[in-house]
Every structure is written in structure tokens, then in C-alpha cells.
Amino acid sequence: MKQESHLETTPGTVRPGGRTAKVRAAVLEATREALATEGFHALNMDRIAAAAGVGRTTVYRRWASPVGLIADLLRDMADRSVPASDTGSLEGDLRDNATLVVTTLTDPRMGPVFRAVIAAAACDDECADALLGFYGTRLRTWATAVDRAVARGEAPPGTDPVEVVRAVSAPLYYRFAVSHEPLTTADAERAVAAALAATRAGVFAPGSS
């Protein structure tokens, strides 16, 4: 693995190990709690340090800014997210994906965290890049379900697996982040049905008739 000096590393990208892993875990948990209760614009480095029980100089040195905290939190969330399902059918896997999205976004704690992160990404390029990385990781993880479906003959050859998964989650995130409508299981089922129909019709397979 390529080694980078501290000066060449973007704040919030260093993943401490060993004894310092507990410091990172405590700081990220404090960051998550602050985002859930106060939102991005109220995120304060000194209060994060106090809540985590670590020195403020440690937090400033390792994460540099609230943006660095959010970027590292998103990487941690991606690493800890639920792996893709393998139900034996594309419909079952996509339904599990949609259910996971709805369950997460409607969770009393995680919903506000995602809302705060999305708000941060709307006004900060580094946060936007971190959010893109988070969703890219999740899309690629669930794309394996579509790859299996293609191998089973459930989807046309050449189907873009990432686009299929994106088609499931996109309308759910729209309701959550743009129109601010309630999310229900019916919305999840509708998103799955639409994505399945488009997949079977070859919409996500360039050149397919």
C-alpha cells in the first residue's frame, strides 16, 4: 500500500489503528450525534472533542475542520454498512436494498444524520466528494446482486449493475432530500418494480433492443 506523509494527506483521511482507533471511534460517534441533534452548521470542533473525551488539539490535528470530520464519518459509515443481499433473485435483492434505504432514512437517529450530510454536501465541495465516495461504495457493493442476476439470465447481458441499483435508491432519496415527503414501504416497492421493469426492458444495457 502506498505510504503518504502527514502533510500530503487530506485531513480526515488518515485511519488510525491500534490505541488510536478508540480515539477515532469516539470522535466519529460524537460527530454522528452532533449531526443528528444539531445539524452540519452547528458542528463545532471544540464540542466534538469534549463529547469524545479527547484533547481538542488531537481533533484539530487529525481532522482539521468539520468537513474533515464528516468526510471520515462517511468513510466509516461506508465500511460498516450492511453487505448486499443474496436472496437468489434480482427482485428479492433489490427489495432488500430499497428496504434498507427506507429503514435508514426513516430512522430517528440516522435520518437526521443523512439530512445533515446532504446539506453539507450542497455547500461544500469536499463534503460533496466524500458523499459521492460513500454512495459510490454502496452502489458498487450492491451491484454484485445485478451481476449475479445477469449470470442467471434475469437481466440482459451488458446491463450496467450500478445504474440498476441507482434506479432503486434515486426516487427514495428524492423524496427524502428534495421533496421532503414521507417514505413508506409502498415507495420502496414502487421503486423496485420500476427498476426491474426497466432492467428487463434493456434500459440499462446499451445496445440492447
Side-chain angles (χ1 to χ4, degrees):
M1 181 179 293
K2 181 181 177 181
Q3 299 294 319
E4 295 182 336
S5 71
H6 177 70
L7 294 177
E8 295 171 332
T9 304
T10 301
T13 62
V14 176
R15 299 185 180 185
R19 292 177 298 177
T20 55
K22 290 183 179 180
V23 171
R24 180 179 183 243
V27 169
L28 293 186
E29 179 57 27
T31 300
R32 193 193 325 265
E33 185 63 27
L35 288 175
T37 58
E38 302 176 9
F40 167 65
H41 294 292
L43 199 61
N44 180 279
M45 300 283 280
D46 291 352
R47 289 204 295 269
I48 293 296
V54 303
R56 61 189 298 274
T57 55
T58 297
V59 176
Y60 279 96
R61 182 178 67 250
R62 197 166 281 162
W63 288 276
S65 70
V67 170
L69 287 170
I70 291 176
D72 199 23
L73 176 63
L74 284 166
R75 279 186 289 274
D76 185 65
M77 288 166 58
D79 290 343
R80 296 173 182 272
S81 292
V82 177
S85 294
D86 186 359
T87 64
S89 74
L90 180 59
E91 182 175 2
D93 292 346
L94 295 184
R95 181 173 290 111
D96 280 359
N97 177 263
T99 299
L100 177 62
V101 171
V102 170
T103 299
T104 301
L105 296 182
T106 57
D107 181 82
R109 187 161 181 262
M110 290 309 300
V113 170
F114 273 94
R115 201 175 294 283
V117 167
I118 291 170
C123 59
D124 186 279
D125 289 342
E126 187 178 344
C127 283
D129 288 342
L131 186 60
L132 178 63
F134 170 82
Y135 285 121
T137 297
R138 298 308 299 148
L139 288 171
R140 289 189 297 273
T141 297
W142 281 86
T144 58
V146 184
D147 289 332
R148 291 192 298 267
V150 172
R152 290 192 299 261
E154 287 186 85
T159 294
D160 187 326
V162 169
E163 290 305 315
V164 174
V165 180
R166 195 195 309 272
V168 173
S169 58
L172 303 177
Y173 277 102
Y174 180 90
R175 293 176 73 92
F176 173 77
V178 179
S179 63
H180 297 282
E181 299 172 79
L183 278 173
T184 67
T185 55
D187 299 316
E189 290 292 336
R190 207 162 27 241
V192 170
L196 276 173
T199 300
R200 291 165 178 165
V203 170
F204 305 114
S208 177
S209 56

